């Protein structure tokens, strides 16, 4: 192991308590959970100081959770700033999911003309209107990759001082110092630069679960996301690639953000890759309540019969798929390309089990395309089961498998071999590619708040379908989507979940911009990148769901595969 950076940081709350002068009152905005902030306030009372510690992260949401009394309130109006260097809806998004937490009261969000960093809140109680100003401390800065960002920051204000000044908090300092140390480190010229780049942070903040869907506010999860994508951007920039380029292969970047025992520390080191799995017990596939064991995936695949297809990952893990030959029109089914999206893995296997019993069935099932990412997601979930862990979306090379091709892979074709073998064996006209996305809000608080290049995924907005087709396949694709969504309508609860998520999305983000087909949002585009003329991609909001919600997720995935397979038999025959 090679250590690149290691240090501990003084906690901002402790420094503020230490520096407080008896008899003076102040307010401060820090990145801390409610319990830690209340504790610091109590310590100050003992010192004879009245202070109020507020959340620098999602300040409007926490003002409603901690301070604002809604008794007797019938209507709420929130006027939010619009900053030229941030998306127009940025501060409305940061208020998410407030609209679902006000107990059915009317709530309106109104864009202001100015960019002053505060919200104006008007509460109507009968004939009386109360107005409040809720500060939202932010700073405009040039980030690591040269982009101008508007990001939440710490703030300090003495009683009687209307303005106050910026306070660089522990949360911001640990992030910037670690990133700068990695930025300055010489990784050499050849990709991949390392096996695992491990960023281990202890930060004493507990997650705050909200009584809305799968929502949980997590400072540590947000830190994982900001570290992961900021480091990808660092290597994109260093290699002259555009931001968001998905072909980069730096190695496996692993931010592990732990609550620890009260101290704040960061250790960055380069480590060897692992090659095992951290499997739990086998589950009943149809009723699985959490991601299934890798060993169970292998056994279920073998039980399907047919021909085994295999490949090896960078770490040496096996990628396995099955080809079941028959006289039907062939369909390729895949899952686990992004293994932190776990319902597609179960859905692919459940559908394959049913198809394998059908006379004439003809398909390839490749349920876990990225086992290195899956092993990482198992590891990260042990510490933080409700964090979305986008580090586990990528392979041990650090690339997105979707963008690895025969042409750009060089010596690293690896996992992709399975897909090429499946295409060659079947010549399938349809590829059903099962995916998911976060089931709660995804942010990068220190780099402009919204996840750069993934802004459309920041909030859940239901189960939706993405269809990509070759030129000349539009009509067949439309027919497929119509058939599949008609079938999905029959799944109990699915349309209701969609409606609830889309309604809340629209209050905080605006229109989805998707076409609705039979109640399901769909995106259709002409795309010649894939060999199959039609690719149907599912997107279930499944990152971090468990229990009954997990069962509902893989059931939707299973039913999509089965409906698409059946529809494809008619579509393929009609057009031949
Ligand atoms: Zn995905």
């Amino acid at each position: 192991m090679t250590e690149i950076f290691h240090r501990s940081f003084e906690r901002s709350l402790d420094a503020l308590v230490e520096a407080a002068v008896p008899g003076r009152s102040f307010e401060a905005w820090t990145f801390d959970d409610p319990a830690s902030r209340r504790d610091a306030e109590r310590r100050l009372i003992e010192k004879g100081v009245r202070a109020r510690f507020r959340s620098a992260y999602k300040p409007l949401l926490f003002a409603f959770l901690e301070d604002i009394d809604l008794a007797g309130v019938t209507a709420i109006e929130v006027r939010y700033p619009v900053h030229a260097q941030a998306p127009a809806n940025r501060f409305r998004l940061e208020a998410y999911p407030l609209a679902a937490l006000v107990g059915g009261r009317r709530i309106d969000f109104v864009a202001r003309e100015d960019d002053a960093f505060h919200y104006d809140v008007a509460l109507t109680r009968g004939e009386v209107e109360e107005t409040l100003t809720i500060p939202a401390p932010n700073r405009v800065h040039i980030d690591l990759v040269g982009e101008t960002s508007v990001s939440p920051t710490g703030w300090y204000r003495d009683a009687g001082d209307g303005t106050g000044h910026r306070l660089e908090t522990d949360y911001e300092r640990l992030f910037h110092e670690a990133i700068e140390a990695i930025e300055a480190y010489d990784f050499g010229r050849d990709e991949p630069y390392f096996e695992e780049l491990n960023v281990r942070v202890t930060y004493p903040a507990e997650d705050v679960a909200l009584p809305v869907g799968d929502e949980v506010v997590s400072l540590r999860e947000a830190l994982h996301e900001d570290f992961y994508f900021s480091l990808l951007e660092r290597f994109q920039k260093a290699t002259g690639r555009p931001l968001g380029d998905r072909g980069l292969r730096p190695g496996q970047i692993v931010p592990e953000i732990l609550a620890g025992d009260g101290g704040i520390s960061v250790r960055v080191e380069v480590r060897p890759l692992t090659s095992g799995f951290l499997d739990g017990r086998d589950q009943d596939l149809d009723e699985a309540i959490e991601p299934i064991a890798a060993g169970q995936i292998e056994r279920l695949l073998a039980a399907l019969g047919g021909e085994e297809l295999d490949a090896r990952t960078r770490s040496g893990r096996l990628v396995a798929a099955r080809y079941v030959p028959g006289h039907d029109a062939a369909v390729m089914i895949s899952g686990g390309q992004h293994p932190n999206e776990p319902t597609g893995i179960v859905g692919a296997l459940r559908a394959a089990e049913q198809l394998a019993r059908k006379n004439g069935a003809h398909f390839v099932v490749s349920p876990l395309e990225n086992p290195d990412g899956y092993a990482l997601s198992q590891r990260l979930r042990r510490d933080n089961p409700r964090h979305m862990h986008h580090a586990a979306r990528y392979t041990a090379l650090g690339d997105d498998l979707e963008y690895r091709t025969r042409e750009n892979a060089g010596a690293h074709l690896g996992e992709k071999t399975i897909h090429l073998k499946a295409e060659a064996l079947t010549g399938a006209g349809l590829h059903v590619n099962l995916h998911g996305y976060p089931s709660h809000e995804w942010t990068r608080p220190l780099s402009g708040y919204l996840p750069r290049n993934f802004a459309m995924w920041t909030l859940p907005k239901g189960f939706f379908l993405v269809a990509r087709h070759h030129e000349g396949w539009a009509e067949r694709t439309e027919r497929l989507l119509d058939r599949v969504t008609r079938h999905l309508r029959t799944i109990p609860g699915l349309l209701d979940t969609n409606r609830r998520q889309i309604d809340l999305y629209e209050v905080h983000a605006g229109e989805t911009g998707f076409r609705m087909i039979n109640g399901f949002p769909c995106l259709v585009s002409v795309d010649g990148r894939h060999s199959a003329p039609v690719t149907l991609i599912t997107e279930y909001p499944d990152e971090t769901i468990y229990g009954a919600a997990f069962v509902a997720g893989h059931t939707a995935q299973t039913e999509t595969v089965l409906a698409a397979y059946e529809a494809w038999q008619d579509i393929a025959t009609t057009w031949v």
Side-chain angles (χ1 to χ4, degrees), residues 246 336-341 390 393 400 402 433-437 457 537-539 542-543:
R246 300 196 199 186
Q337 181 181 83
H338 302 144
N340 64 327
E341 304 162 7
H390 279 109
R393 170 188 174 90
D400 184 334
E402 169 77 12
N433 186 352
L434 306 176
H435 283 255
Y437 70 106
W457 306 95
I537 299 168
T538 59
E539 295 289 355
D542 67 350
E543 292 177 17

Side-chain angles (χ1 to χ4, degrees), residues 13 17 28 34-47 49-54 66-67:
L13 289 177
V17 169
S36 302
R37 286 184 280 113
R38 296 297 87 79
D39 174 67
E41 287 165 5
R42 276 192 296 273
R43 284 189 279 150
L44 279 171
I45 286 170
E46 285 167 21
K47 218 178 148 174
V49 178
R50 273 193 39 214
R52 187 68 177 160
F53 291 108
R54 305 188 189 282
E66 296 173 6
D67 296 317

Side-chain angles (χ1 to χ4, degrees), residues 211 234 312 372 537:
R234 176 243 184 261
R312 290 280 163 186
D372 286 349
I537 299 168

Side-chain angles (χ1 to χ4, degrees), residues 300-471:
L300 290 169
L301 268 182
L304 290 174
E307 183 183 330
E308 188 185 42
L309 314 181
D310 60 20
R312 290 280 163 186
T313 70
R314 183 185 184 207
S315 75
R317 290 185 180 93
L318 174 73
V319 195
R322 282 274 154 173
Y323 173 47
V324 176
H327 54 69
D328 277 357
V331 173
M332 292 190 290
I333 304 153
S334 65
Q337 181 181 83
H338 302 144
N340 64 327
E341 304 162 7
T343 59
I345 298 167
V346 180
L349 286 165
R350 283 183 64 188
E353 283 189 338
Q354 293 196 46
L355 290 175
R357 289 197 287 267
K358 182 182 175 290
N359 187 26
H362 188 193
F363 63 93
V364 167
V365 61
S366 175
L368 179 54
E369 298 209 296
N370 174 5
D372 286 349
Y374 201 53
L376 178 60
S377 98
Q378 290 180 328
R379 188 174 129 196
L380 294 172
R381 277 198 297 109
R382 282 201 168 178
D383 293 320
N384 292 301
R386 290 191 72 188
H387 293 186
M388 52 189 73
H389 297 141
H390 279 109
R393 170 188 174 90
Y394 296 82
T395 69
L397 283 164
D399 66 347
D400 184 334
L401 208 46
E402 169 77 12
Y403 296 87
R404 195 187 298 174
T405 64
R406 201 194 290 279
E407 292 71 36
N408 69 22
H412 301 294
L413 201 53
E415 298 90 330
K416 198 74 186 188
T417 319
I418 289 277
H419 188 72
L420 300 174
K421 284 179 184 173
E423 282 173 358
L425 273 170
T426 63
L430 173 65
H431 175 198
V432 185
N433 186 352
L434 306 176
H435 283 255
Y437 70 106
S439 63
H440 60 252
E441 189 186 15
W442 174 14
T443 69
R444 284 180 59 185
L446 303 174
S447 309
Y449 191 79
L450 289 175
R452 182 152 46 211
N453 297 311
F454 291 97
M456 71 169 283
W457 306 95
T458 185
L459 301 182
K461 50 189 168 196
F463 180 47
F464 65 93
L465 301 173
V466 179
R468 297 180 187 152
H469 64 81
H470 290 182
E471 207 79 63

